[in-house]
Amino acid sequence: MSNAYNRPDQLSPELRRRVLDTARRLGYPGPDPVARSLRTRKAGAVGLLLTENLSYAFRDPAALGFLEGLALACEGAGQGLHLVPVNPEREDVAAVHRAGVDGFVVYSVPDDDPHLAAVLSRPVPTVVADQPIVDGVDRVGIDDRAAITRLAQHLITLGHRRVGVVCMRLARDRNDGFAAVDRQEAAHFHVQRARLAGIADAFGPAGVEWARIPVVERFDHTTASGASAAGQLLDSDPGLTAIIATSDILALGAITEARRRGLRVPQDLTVTGFDGIPEGERIGLTTVRQPVLEKGRAAGRLLLGTPDPTRPREVTLDTELVQGTTASTPRTTEERWFGP
Amino acid sequence: MSNAYNRPDQLSPELRRRVLDTARRLGYPGPDPVARSLRTRKAGAVGLLLTENLSYAFRDPAALGFLEGLALACEGAGQGLHLVPVNPEREDVAAVHRAGVDGFVVYSVPDDDPHLAAVLSRPVPTVVADQPIVDGVDRVGIDDRAAITRLAQHLITLGHRRVGVVCMRLARDRNDGFAAVDRQEAAHFHVQRARLAGIADAFGPAGVEWARIPVVERFDHTTASGASAAGQLLDSDPGLTAIIATSDILALGAITEARRRGLRVPQDLTVTGFDGIPEGERIGLTTVRQPVLEKGRAAGRLLLGTPDPTRPREVTLDTELVQGTTASTPRTTEERWFGP
DNA sequence: TGGACTGACCGTAACGGTTCAGAACCGCCG
DNA sequence: CGGCGGTTCTGAACCGTTACGGTCAGTCCA
C-alpha cells in the first residue's frame, strides 16, 4: 500500500494499478501525513516563534523582511512554515508543545519568555535570531552594539551632545516612560539592551555621562509610540538637539511629532532610526540598515542545512550606516556660525 | 503518563509528581506532538495555500492583509498557521499531501491549479478565498464584478470612452502582452476574469464595444509590470484618456509610467486601481477598497467555526468605491470646455 | 459483615503509516 | 530433480500517544 504510493519501483505495475484502483473505490484519501510523520520522524515544517501576536509580524517591516527570508529558505527546502500562535497576554505555552515541526526559529523574544523555554525543552534543533546566545543553539543576528555606536559617533562628530533616546520595550511588563539605567541593564530584550549599550559606548568617551541621557521606553512598537515618546523627551528637555530611536518605526513617529511642534528636521532636530525599512528610505532617514531578509534566510539555512558537527554556529551579518537627510549639525552650532 | 501531563485531575498529586520526576530523570522531553495528533486526529494547525512563492505573500499588500486577518483568526482559536511551500515552476504537489493540518485555506490560485486539486482531494475542510465556487467547499470573497462595474461607471460619468485596461495574469502560462477576448473568457483566475467582465458590464451599455477596449496582461504582479503595461497601452493608443488597472500595485506602476512620459495624472490621464492598499491611499488613488483583513479573518472563522450543517457557506464582503484624486474628466472634454 | 459504590491506578488497543525480514514464486543451471 | 539467485509480495513490528475499560482498595450504609 505504502509502496504503491511512494515506491513504484518496489512492485509490479500491475499490482500497483490494482492497489490504487481499489483504494480509490474504497474512498481512500491517500496516506495520512500525520501518521507518516510519526513513523518517519519528519514533520516537513519548521516552527516560527514570535513574541508578538502573529499578526504583528505582518505589520512590522523588519519582522516582515525576516519572515520573507525565512519563507524563501523553507520554500527552497520544500519545508512548510508553521507559525506558532502566541497570545502574549496569557502565558499559554501549549501551542509550542503541540506544534508538529522538525525545528524552531525564534525571533526576537525576551530572554525570559516562557515560550522560548518551551521551545528549548523540545528535542528539536533551534535557531534564535536577534537573541542572546543560549547554551548550545545556533544563532543569527547582527552586531547591534557596534552598529549603533557608529551611528552615535556620527552624531557626535556632527556636534551633538544633548541627545535623547527612544527605545522599544525592554521587558515583558509595560513601562511607557523613562527607563533608568538599572532597567536598561536588566532589559530582557537583547537587541534593545545592546543598542542602548552601543549608544553609551559612543557618548561616554565624548564626555557625555550616559546616566544623564534620557531614555524613554515604549511598549508598543508603532509610529504613534515613537511620536509620544519623542514628545515626552522634548517636554522634559526642549534643548535636545537629537533624538536617537532604536528602530525606524519609532524614528518615523518622532519625526512626525517634531514637525507637529514646528521643529524642522534636521535643522532644528536631528532624528535617527535603526533597521533600514523602505518607509524610512523614502524620506531619507539617517539610520543603520540591516539585511533583514538575509537574516531570515540565514536562519532557515542554519536550521535546514546539515547540522554541522561544530555545534553552536553563529552567523553575524553586516550592517551599513545610512547617512540620510534627517541628521545634521545641531542648531546651536549652526546658530554659532550663522547667528540666531 | 499522558494523564500526568494533561489530566492532573485524573490522578493524585503525589503520583503525578513522581511520574513527572522520573520522566525528567529519564530525559523524557514531553509528549510528542505528532503522535498526539495521530491519536487525537487533530493537528492544531490550518494550512494556507497560495499560488505564488511563499515569500510573495509578504510583498503584496493585499495578500498580506489577508494573511494578517487569517493569522488573527488562528491566533484566536489557538491554531497554528502552516504555510504550504509551493514552487510555481515545478508542479510538486507533495507538499500539500505532507502538511499535517486540520483544514486548508486556499487563496487566489488559478482554478486549474494542481495544488488546489490536491487540497480538495484531502479529507479535511477547506475554505477558498477569491476563487470561483468549487463543489461543496466554503468560500469567502467580494463581488469583484459589481464592484469594478461601479468604478467603471464612475469613469463613464466623468466622460471617459477611450480607456485601456491593465490586468494581472489570467492563466498559469506567461503572457506579457495584449489579451484578446477569448483569452479573457478562458481566464483561470476567477478574480481577474470577474473584474474584466465587470468593466465590460459598464462600458457595453455606454456604447463602447468591449472587444475594442485594449487589455494588457502581465504575469508578474509588480509596479514595474504596471508601468510597462501602461507603456504598452499608451504606445498602441496615445489617445487613451484613462487606464483601469485591476490592482492598486499595477495602477501605481501605471502612474509612474504616465509621469515618466510627462503626462499629468489625472489632468492628462486618469488611472484607477483595485484593492485599497495603503500606498494607494497615500497618493489618493481612485480605487475600490476591499476589506482584505476581514476577508482573511472570515476565512479563518469559516474554517475554524462549527461546521454548519447548511454546508457550503459563502461570505461576500462589501467593497467601497474610493473617489481619490487620480481620476477626473478627460482631457478632451476639458479642452472642449476651457479651450486647449 | 456484606454488598454497592467511589476513586485511583493500570494495561491495552487502536490511530495509520513505513520498514524490513522473510515467504513465495519463477526461471535456470548443474 | 534439487538447489540457487533473483524478484515480487505479505505480514508483523514499531513510531508515541490517548481513550477506554477493568482491577483493586477503601468507604459507606443497611
Side-chain angles (χ1 to χ4, degrees):
Chain A
M1 170 60 111
S2 172
N3 288 338
Y5 277 87
N6 311 316
R7 297 276 199 63
D9 53 315
Q10 292 295 305
L11 68 179
S12 65
E14 200 281 336
L15 177 65
R16 177 177 148 87
R17 194 190 49 70
R18 234 177 53 224
V19 169
L20 261 40
D21 255 21
T22 49
R24 186 165 27 248
R25 197 159 41 71
L26 263 44
Y28 174 72
D32 180 308
V34 176
R36 181 209 304 263
S37 289
L38 173 62
R39 184 65 240 242
T40 61
R41 322 251 53 185
K42 297 230 160 315
V46 319
L48 175 60
L49 179 69
L50 298 155
T51 184
E52 296 276 351
N53 286 316
L54 253 183
S55 68
Y56 164 82
F58 303 134
R59 285 194 192 282
D60 180 27
L64 205 52
F66 182 84
L67 210 50
E68 185 180 341
L70 180 58
L72 236 35
C74 289
E75 212 160 60
Q79 299 289 300
L81 186 53
H82 181 118
L83 307 182
V84 178
V86 164
N87 190 327
E89 312 300 324
R90 309 199 311 98
E91 301 210 339
D92 189 7
V93 169
V96 173
H97 287 125
R98 267 213 313 266
V101 297
D102 298 325
F104 279 99
V105 172
V106 180
Y107 177 72
S108 193
V109 309
D111 54 26
D112 62 343
D113 191 313
H115 297 93
L116 173 58
V119 165
L120 294 177
S121 80
R122 293 264 315 254
V124 293
T126 300
V127 174
V128 299
D130 289 355
Q131 301 259 139
I133 297 161
V134 202
D135 56 343
V137 312
D138 297 346
R139 178 177 174 274
V140 47
I142 58 173
D143 189 342
D144 289 280
R145 187 161 178 165
I148 207 165
T149 296
R150 289 223 313 278
L151 175 64
Q153 282 167 344
H154 174 55
L155 295 191
I156 290 168
T157 305
L158 289 172
H160 292 278
R161 292 299 181 276
R162 265 170 90 174
V163 305
V165 175
V166 176
C167 71
M168 291 167 58
R169 75 176 73 157
L170 297 176
R172 289 191 287 145
D173 63 314
R174 179 182 285 268
N175 170 45
D176 290 323
F178 289 98
V181 174
D182 56 344
R183 182 172 172 89
Q184 295 171 23
E185 284 170 354
H188 286 292
F189 281 91
H190 168 262
V191 166
Q192 295 300 306
R193 193 174 53 217
R195 291 185 190 169
L196 292 178
I199 302 173
D201 286 349
F203 278 95
V208 184
E209 196 191 342
W210 173 248
R212 313 201 55 167
I213 294 184
V215 175
V216 168
E217 173 183 354
R218 282 294 182 274
F219 190 79
D220 295 317
H221 187 223
T222 61
T223 52
S225 288
S228 81
Q232 193 170 357
L233 277 176
L234 292 170
D235 284 343
S236 78
D237 182 357
L240 291 180
T241 65
I243 290 182
I244 303 174
T246 61
S247 86
D248 284 356
I249 294 276
L250 294 174
L252 292 176
I255 290 173
T256 305
E257 175 64 15
R259 296 239 171 86
R260 203 183 63 74
R261 292 176 176 231
L263 297 173
R264 293 164 301 163
V265 176
Q267 294 91 335
D268 301 324
L269 185 71
T270 281
V271 177
T272 66
F274 198 111
D275 280 343
I277 69 175
E279 289 91 320
E281 189 162 349
R282 203 152 38 219
I283 66 155
L285 182 64
T286 295
T287 189
V288 171
R289 181 181 303 137
Q290 60 165 321
V292 284
L293 190 134
E294 227 14 85
K295 194 156 56 172
R297 210 201 302 247
R301 270 202 287 251
L302 226 43
L303 193 62
L304 299 169
T306 59
D308 213 293
T310 82
R311 298 261 305 113
R313 286 165 298 174
E314 200 171 333
V315 174
T316 302
L317 299 165
D318 289 332
T319 59
E320 180 193 353
L321 177 61
V322 179
Q323 300 195 17
T325 56
T326 62
S328 69
T329 52
R331 186 178 32 189
T332 47
T333 311
E334 205 175 352
E335 282 165 4
R336 205 180 307 138
W337 289 345
F338 303 103
Chain B
M1 170 60 111
S2 170
N3 289 337
Y5 278 89
N6 311 316
R7 294 281 202 52
D9 54 313
Q10 292 295 305
L11 68 177
S12 65
E14 199 279 337
L15 177 67
R16 178 178 146 87
R17 194 190 48 71
R18 232 178 55 227
V19 168
L20 259 43
D21 255 21
T22 47
R24 188 166 24 249
R25 196 158 43 71
L26 264 47
Y28 173 72
D32 180 307
V34 176
R36 183 211 302 266
S37 288
L38 173 61
R39 181 67 239 238
T40 61
R41 323 249 50 185
K42 297 230 160 318
V46 319
L48 174 60
L49 179 69
L50 296 156
T51 183
E52 295 276 350
N53 287 316
L54 253 183
S55 67
Y56 166 82
F58 303 131
R59 283 194 194 282
D60 180 25
L64 204 52
F66 182 85
L67 208 49
E68 185 180 342
L70 180 58
L72 235 37
C74 289
E75 212 160 59
Q79 298 289 301
L81 185 53
H82 181 118
L83 308 182
V84 178
V86 164
N87 191 327
E89 310 303 321
R90 309 201 310 99
E91 301 210 340
D92 187 7
V93 168
V96 172
H97 287 125
R98 266 213 311 266
V101 296
D102 298 325
F104 279 100
V105 172
V106 179
Y107 178 72
S108 194
V109 309
D111 55 24
D112 61 343
D113 190 315
H115 298 93
L116 173 58
V119 165
L120 294 176
S121 80
R122 293 265 313 252
V124 293
T126 300
V127 174
V128 299
D130 289 354
Q131 302 257 140
I133 297 162
V134 202
D135 57 344
V137 311
D138 298 344
R139 178 177 175 276
V140 48
I142 59 175
D143 189 341
D144 289 279
R145 186 161 179 164
I148 207 164
T149 297
R150 290 224 311 280
L151 175 65
Q153 281 167 345
H154 173 57
L155 296 191
I156 291 168
T157 306
L158 287 172
H160 293 277
R161 292 298 180 278
R162 264 171 93 174
V163 305
V165 175
V166 175
C167 70
M168 292 166 58
R169 75 176 74 155
L170 297 176
R172 289 191 287 146
D173 63 313
R174 179 182 285 269
N175 171 44
D176 292 321
F178 289 97
V181 175
D182 55 344
R183 182 172 172 90
Q184 296 171 24
E185 285 170 354
H188 285 292
F189 282 90
H190 168 261
V191 165
Q192 296 300 307
R193 194 175 51 217
R195 291 184 190 168
L196 292 179
I199 302 172
D201 288 349
F203 279 95
V208 184
E209 195 191 344
W210 174 248
R212 312 201 56 168
I213 295 184
V215 175
V216 168
E217 173 184 354
R218 281 295 180 272
F219 190 79
D220 296 316
H221 187 223
T222 61
T223 51
S225 287
S228 81
Q232 193 170 0
L233 277 176
L234 291 169
D235 284 345
S236 79
D237 182 358
L240 292 181
T241 65
I243 290 181
I244 303 175
T246 61
S247 86
D248 284 357
I249 294 277
L250 294 175
L252 292 176
I255 290 174
T256 305
E257 174 64 14
R259 296 239 171 86
R260 203 182 62 74
R261 292 177 176 230
L263 297 173
R264 292 164 303 161
V265 175
Q267 294 91 333
D268 301 325
L269 185 71
T270 281
V271 177
T272 67
F274 198 110
D275 281 342
I277 69 176
E279 288 90 320
E281 190 162 350
R282 201 150 40 217
I283 66 155
L285 182 65
T286 294
T287 188
V288 171
R289 181 181 304 138
Q290 60 165 321
V292 284
L293 190 134
E294 228 11 89
K295 194 155 57 171
R297 210 200 304 248
R301 272 202 287 253
L302 226 46
L303 193 60
L304 299 169
T306 60
D308 213 294
T310 82
R311 299 261 306 113
R313 288 165 295 176
E314 200 171 334
V315 174
T316 302
L317 299 164
D318 289 332
T319 58
E320 181 194 353
L321 178 61
V322 179
Q323 300 196 15
T325 56
T326 62
S328 70
T329 52
R331 188 176 32 189
T332 47
T333 313
E334 208 175 348
E335 282 166 5
R336 204 179 309 133
W337 289 344
F338 302 103

